[in-house]
Each structure stands twice: as structure tokens, then as C-alpha cells.
Amino acid sequence: MDNTELLTTWFEHLKFKARQSGDEFNQVTLAEKSGVAQQYISKILTRKRNLGDKVLTKLCAGMGITKAEFFSGPPKSVGKQAAGMMREEVRVIRPGTTAKELRGSLVNMIIELPEEALREVYIFASGIYDNNRERKSGEKINGAG
């Protein structure tokens, strides 16, 4: 994974964590915290500019991580966190919430996830599907009975 891919992964990870706590983390936020222009950050993330060492140092400071942490990559538990958020979203369905509204809410969460989190979300979604199928048919899934 090159530095730009690592930056993208960290950026998506921090966006997700901020969303979990009700905060916002975007290119503007990173620009304000790092002192690197938002337009320059955008060009790095879209591979129109290279990520040099001086800028990387500033971006790491803006993300609140060390360069050593940057190179080791973000924690791998993002997928589990995402699945937990989705589980909570399903658990606290408000009376009168339509299936379409719930789907929209879950889709919005998925759109903002880093790629490595999607496997965990797929496993979670498969579990919901199996549980609903079992409930509707009255039969056990996977041969259990």
C-alpha cells in the first residue's frame, strides 16, 4: 500500500469514527487541523499531487496520529464497529419507521465505510437476512431443527 492509499484509508477511518460520535471529519476539517490547504489535500487524495514528507508530517499531526501509526495503518476493527452501529440502528427502530427509511439509513452508513469494513457489514447483513428468513418460514437455517 503506498502513502496515498494509506492516507485515504486513514481519512476514511477518521471520517467513520467522527460520524460515530456525531462529529464531522472531512477535507476542510483536516485542512484546518493540519495547515495544509483543502484543495491540496483533495489533489493528493485524487492522485493529482504526490504526498511529500513535509506534507505527510502536517497531515499526521492534523489527524492526531504519529508517522509510525500512519505507516502501520488504522485499526482493523472498523468493520466490527460498523456492524455494531448497524445492529444498534436496527435494534432501535422507531415505531412507524418504514422499511424504506431503515434501508436508506443503513445505505448511508455503508456509503461512508472504508473498504476493509465492508466484509464485516456483509456478514452482519447476511445474519439479518437469515434470521428474517427463519422467522418467516418457521424453520431453522443451516439444517438446524
Side-chain angles (χ1 to χ4, degrees), residues 53-71:
D53 192 56
K54 286 182 183 178
V55 172
L56 175 59
T57 301
K58 289 180 178 183
L59 292 175
C60 285
M63 292 186 289
I65 59 173
T66 65
K67 283 172 83 173
E69 289 171 312
F70 175 83
F71 289 115

Side-chain angles (χ1 to χ4, degrees), residues 32-50:
E32 291 168 355
K33 291 182 176 190
S34 67
V36 176
Q38 181 273 321
Q39 296 86 347
Y40 197 81
I41 293 170
S42 176
K43 288 178 181 177
I44 292 169
L45 292 172
T46 57
R47 296 188 174 273
K48 293 177 182 165
R49 295 294 298 229
N50 289 326

Side-chain angles (χ1 to χ4, degrees), residues 2 40 105:
D2 69 18
Y40 197 81
S105 177

Side-chain angles (χ1 to χ4, degrees), residues 90-131:
V90 170
R91 190 183 72 72
V92 295
I93 298 172
R94 295 177 315 280
T97 300
T98 66
K100 183 177 181 179
E101 290 169 332
L102 179 60
R103 266 193 311 273
S105 177
L106 295 176
V107 165
N108 285 337
M109 282 185 200
I110 290 170
I111 287 171
E112 295 186 18
L113 289 177
E115 254 182 71
E116 69 269 8
L118 294 178
R119 178 170 160 48
E120 293 292 334
V121 171
Y122 173 77
I123 291 167
F124 168 71
S126 296
I128 290 176
Y129 173 78
D130 288 346
N131 288 339

